[in-house]
C-alpha cells in the first residue's frame, strides 16, 4: 500500500488512490489535515517517548547518545513519562495554549531541517521530532485504511532554506528520509511540492497547457513552469515537461511573523526609546516571534537574556511595554503572538479590518489592524515571492498559458494581486488550496510504486 504524504510546515496530510482518484485520509478526528505541531512535558521527553511508547529505536550511536542523555535529564527532573504525555496536532496546540509555561511545544519543525550550522546532536534530535510526527501520522492513516502502509511519496520544497544551497537541501531531505524509514516506511521517494500540485491540476485539463504553478505554503514558496495535459498523463518520465523551478523559505509563517512584528510588537516596546532617547534594540522584538529560526529563539529565551530585558525595562521611557516583553519571555508566548497574527491574516482575506486581542499581556489590550496595514507589514516577504515568480518565468524562457495558485497562503488577496500584476492578461486559477499537493503526491506514487 502506498500514500502521498505532504509533510507540511503548517499542516500534514496523506492521500491514497482509489478508483483513479485521490482520497485524503482522516488523521485527527474527522479532519484530513493535522497541524504540524508536537507537545511534550520537556524537550528531552521527545526522544524518550519515541523509544518507550512508540517503539522506535535509535539507528546509530549518536541517536543512542541523545536517548541516554534525554532519559538522564528526565530522571534528574523527576519526570516519569506516561503514555499520552506527548501530543500531536490540534491536541498539542490546545495543551500549549492552556499552559505554555509547563510544556515543550514545537510548531513546524520542517522549517529547521535545512538550517545552517546545525550540530550532529541537533540534527539527531530533529530526526526524533520528525520521526515521532511521521509515526503518529502513519498509525492514524493505517487505522483509517485498516491495512499497513509500506510506501510513501513525500513532498519537498524546491529549497528548504534561504541559504546553504544544495547542501541544505540534502541535509533536510536526509532527515526526512531517515525519519520516514524509522517510522516504518519501507520505500521512500520525493517529489517537488509544486510539481505534485501541478499533477493534480493536470487531471482537470482537456488540452495541453503550459502552467506556472505557484505554491505558497506555510514555510516555503515554490514555483514550477510545467507543460501538462492529456499528452503527459501518467508518463513516468516527465523531465522534459519541467521547464523551470524557483523556491525559497518564505511563506505563510513569514507573513505571520512580519505582521506580528510590525503591528503587535509595538505594544511590547518595539519602536520606543530609552529615557535618554536611544532606540530599543530591534532583535529583542524580532527574536521571540521568529519561530522558524532556531538561533533567534535560542538567543531570546536564553537565561542570560533575562538580565538584558530587565535592564531595558529599567531604562525604558515606556517601561510598562517592556514588562509585556518580559512576560513573553517568562511564559514563552512567542508562538501565541504569531498565532494571533495568523488568525488576523486569515480574517483580513475576507474583511477590511480586524481586532487582535492581547489579553494574555494586559487586560483590555488590543490592536486594530486594517488590510492596508497588513499589506505594508508583509511587503518584504511579498517582494521575495514576486521575485520567485519572475525567476521561474525567466528560467523557463516562456510565458505561461495560465497560473495555478495553491497552498493555504495563496488565498491572500494581496498575493493574488501581486501575481496578476506580474503577469497581466494571463488567467490565474486556483483549486484546492490545502489538498492539491497531497493529491498530486498520491497520483505520482501510483506511477512510481506500481
Amino acid at each position: 500500500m502506498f500514500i502521498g504524504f505532504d509533510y507540511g510546515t503548517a499542516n500534514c496530510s496523506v492521500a491514497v488512490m482509489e478508483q483513479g482518484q485521490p482520497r485524503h485520509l482522516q488523521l485527527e478526528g474527522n479532519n484530513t489535515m493535522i497541524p504540524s505541531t508536537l507537545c511534550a512535558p520537556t524537550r528531552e521527553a521527545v526522544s524518550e517517548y519515541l523509544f518507550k511508547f512508540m517503539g522506535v529505536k535509535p539507528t546509530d550511536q549518536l541517536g543512542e547518545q541523545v536517548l541516554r542523555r534525554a532519559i538522564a535529564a528526565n530522571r534528574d527532573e523527576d519526570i516519569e513519562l506516561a503514555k499520552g504525555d506527548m501530543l500531536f496536532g490540534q491536541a498539542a496546540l490546545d495543551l500549549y495554549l492552556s499552559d505554555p509555561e509547563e510544556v515543550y511545544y514545537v510548531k513546524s519543525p520542517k522549517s529547521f531541517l535545512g538550517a545552517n550550522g546545525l550540530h550532529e546532536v541537533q540534527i539527531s534530535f530533529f530526526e526524533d521530532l520528525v520521526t515521532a510526527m511521521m509515526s503518529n501520522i502513519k498509525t492514524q492513516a493505517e487505522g483509517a485504511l485498516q491495512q499497513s502502509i509500506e510506501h510513501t511519496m513525500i513532498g519537498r520544497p524546491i529549497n528548504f532554506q534561504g541559504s546553504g544551497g544544495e547542501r541544505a537541501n540534502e541535509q533536510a531531505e536526509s532527515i526526512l528520509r531517515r525519519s520516514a524509514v524509522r517510522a516504518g516506511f519501507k520505500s521512500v521517494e520525493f517529489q517537488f511540492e509544486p510539481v505534485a500540485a501541478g499533477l493534480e491540476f493536470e487531471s482537470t485539463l482537456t488540452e495541453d497547457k503550459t502552467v506556472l504553478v505557484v505554491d505558497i505554503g506555510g514555510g516555503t514558496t515554490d514555483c514550477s513552469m510545467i507543460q501538462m495535459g492529456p499528452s503527459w498523463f501518467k508518463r513516468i518520465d516527465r523531465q522534459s515537461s519541467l521547464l523551470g523551478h524557483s523556491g525559497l523559505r518564505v511563506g505563510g509563517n513569514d507573513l505571520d511573523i512580519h505582521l506580528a512584528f510590525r503591528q503587535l510588537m509595538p505594544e511590547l516596546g518595539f519602536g520606543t526609546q530609552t529615557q535618554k532617547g536611544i532606540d530599543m534594540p530591534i532583535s529583542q522584538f524580532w527574536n521571540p516571534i521568529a519561530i522558524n529560526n532556531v538561533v533567534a529563539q535560542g538567543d531570546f529565551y536564553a537565561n542570560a537574556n533575562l538580565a538584558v530585558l530587565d535592564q531595558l525595562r529599567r531604562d525604558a521611557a515606556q517601561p510598562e511595554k517592556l514588562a509585556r516583553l518580559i512576560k513573553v519571555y517568562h511564559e514563552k508566548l512567542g508562538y501565541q503572538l504569531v498565532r494571533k497574527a495568523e488568525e488576523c491574516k486569515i480574517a483580513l482575506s475576507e474583511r477590511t479590518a480586524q481586532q487582535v486581542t492581547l489579553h494574555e499581556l494586559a487586560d483590555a489590550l488590543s490592536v486594530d489592524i486594517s488590510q492596508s496595514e497588513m499589506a505594508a507589514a508583509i511587503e518584504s516577504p511579498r517582494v521575495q515571492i514576486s521575485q520567485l515568480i519572475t525567476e521561474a518565468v525567466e528560467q523557463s524562457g516562456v510565458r505561461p498559458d495560465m497560473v495555478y495558485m495553491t497552498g493555504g497562503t495563496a488565498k491572500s488577496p494581496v498575493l493574488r494581486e501581486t501575481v496578476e500584476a506580474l503577469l497581466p492578461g494571463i488567467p490565474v486559477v486556483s483549486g484546492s488550496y490545502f489538498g492539491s499537493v497531497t493529491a498530486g503526491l498520491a497520483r505520482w506514487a501510483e506511477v512510481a510504486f506500481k
Side-chain angles (χ1 to χ4, degrees):
M1 187 67 192
F2 60 82
I3 58 171
F5 189 164
D6 182 9
Y7 182 74
T9 305
N11 298 285
C12 299
S13 59
V14 302
V16 296
M17 294 298 293
E18 292 183 350
Q19 299 179 339
Q21 294 297 320
R23 178 171 74 89
H24 290 72
L25 301 180
Q26 295 177 345
L27 299 178
E28 189 174 35
N30 294 324
N31 298 316
T32 57
M33 292 193 301
I34 180 170
S36 303
T37 58
L38 177 151
C39 195
T42 64
R43 183 182 187 277
E44 292 75 17
V46 174
S47 300
E48 183 178 358
Y49 193 96
L50 181 66
F51 172 72
K52 189 173 182 180
F53 294 106
M54 303 183 81
V56 180
K57 299 178 181 179
T59 57
D60 54 29
Q61 289 186 343
L62 182 60
E64 292 175 355
Q65 177 184 334
V66 170
L67 176 60
R68 287 195 299 271
R69 288 181 178 178
I71 293 173
N74 288 330
R75 295 301 87 78
D76 288 344
E77 296 294 327
D78 293 325
I79 295 173
E80 288 290 342
L81 293 179
K83 193 168 181 61
D85 278 352
M86 190 156 71
L87 300 177
F88 303 90
Q90 189 62 43
L93 176 58
D94 290 343
L95 180 59
Y96 164 72
L97 292 175
S98 68
D99 198 358
E101 290 182 88
E102 296 301 320
V103 295
Y104 173 74
Y105 176 76
V106 176
K107 177 183 178 182
S108 310
K110 183 179 176 182
S111 298
F112 308 145
L113 304 186
N116 295 326
L118 292 181
H119 300 299
E120 289 185 346
V121 171
Q122 289 176 299
I123 292 175
S124 181
F125 174 69
F126 286 151
E127 186 182 310
D128 281 352
L129 277 177
V130 176
T131 301
M133 295 173 69
M134 285 187 168
S135 180
N136 174 66
I137 289 168
K138 185 173 186 289
T139 298
Q140 300 306 316
E142 289 176 336
L145 289 171
Q146 290 298 296
Q147 61 178 300
S148 62
I149 300 169
E150 296 185 336
H151 315 293
T152 183
M153 180 68 63
I154 300 177
R156 55 150 288 184
I158 303 297
N159 292 304
F160 284 88
Q161 198 76 8
S163 59
E166 196 53 34
R167 182 176 180 181
N169 291 333
E170 291 172 358
Q171 173 181 286
E173 187 174 300
S174 177
I175 294 172
L176 289 175
R177 184 182 297 277
R178 292 197 305 270
S179 297
V181 171
R182 291 181 68 197
F185 293 107
K186 293 183 179 179
S187 300
V188 181
E189 299 293 339
F190 292 91
Q191 179 58 275
F192 287 139
E193 289 162 359
V195 173
L199 292 170
E200 173 60 12
F201 178 60
E202 182 181 60
S203 68
T204 69
L205 296 178
T206 57
E207 58 181 334
D208 288 355
K209 298 284 186 182
T210 300
V211 180
L212 175 63
V213 180
V214 180
D215 178 15
I216 311 175
T220 58
T221 293
D222 296 292
C223 304
S224 288
M225 189 76 77
I226 309 174
Q227 291 177 328
M228 60 175 71
S231 298
W232 297 94
F233 287 167
K234 294 191 176 181
R235 283 171 58 169
I236 295 176
D237 184 1
R238 292 293 301 256
Q239 194 61 39
S240 62
S241 72
L242 308 179
L243 306 181
H245 300 293
S246 65
L248 194 64
R249 199 193 75 173
V250 56
N253 281 354
D254 298 273
L255 270 60
D256 303 336
I257 291 167
H258 278 78
L259 182 57
F261 182 61
R262 294 294 178 185
Q263 292 295 319
L264 302 184
M265 297 311 282
E267 297 298 331
L268 286 73
F270 172 53
T272 65
Q273 296 181 327
T274 67
Q275 297 171 38
K276 295 181 179 180
I278 301 172
D279 292 340
M280 287 289 169
I282 292 176
S283 61
Q284 292 291 2
F285 305 96
W286 177 260
N287 288 352
I289 56 173
I291 59 172
N292 55 5
N293 187 319
V294 178
V295 175
Q297 291 279 283
D299 288 348
F300 182 77
Y301 289 110
N303 292 335
N305 196 41
L306 180 57
V308 177
L309 294 173
D310 277 330
Q311 187 61 53
L312 287 176
R313 179 184 56 79
R314 288 192 292 270
D315 294 341
Q318 296 176 270
E320 72 282 358
K321 291 189 174 183
L322 272 296
R324 296 168 188 165
L325 184 63
I326 292 174
K327 188 169 185 178
V328 169
Y329 174 93
H330 283 301
E331 299 183 13
K332 297 185 174 67
L333 297 177
Y335 280 105
Q336 289 206 32
L337 289 172
V338 176
R339 177 171 172 77
K340 286 181 177 292
E342 178 187 16
E343 293 170 343
C344 176
K345 177 193 70 179
I346 293 170
L348 288 174
S349 68
E350 299 179 351
R351 61 184 67 175
T352 58
Q354 176 71 11
Q355 184 178 81
V356 178
T357 60
L358 299 173
H359 298 166
E360 298 87 351
L361 299 177
D363 292 340
L365 179 63
S366 63
V367 178
D368 293 319
I369 303 175
S370 67
Q371 272 190 353
S372 61
E373 288 172 327
M374 185 191 77
I378 66 172
E379 177 63 8
S380 176
R382 187 200 68 80
V383 169
Q384 288 181 293
I385 290 170
S386 68
Q387 290 170 342
L388 290 173
I389 294 169
T390 300
E391 180 184 343
V393 173
E394 291 179 349
Q395 186 185 122
S396 67
V398 300
R399 284 176 66 81
D401 297 317
M402 62 175 61
V403 179
Y404 177 63
M405 292 187 69
T406 189
T409 308
K411 296 177 70 175
S412 167
V414 174
L415 298 181
R416 190 180 185 93
E417 291 168 5
T418 296
V419 174
E420 291 171 341
L422 286 170
L423 299 168
I426 295 177
V428 179
V429 300
S430 57
S432 171
Y433 286 109
F434 296 99
S436 62
V437 170
T438 315
L441 289 169
R443 289 183 184 278
W444 190 242
E446 185 176 49
V447 174
F449 294 125
K450 70 178 181 179

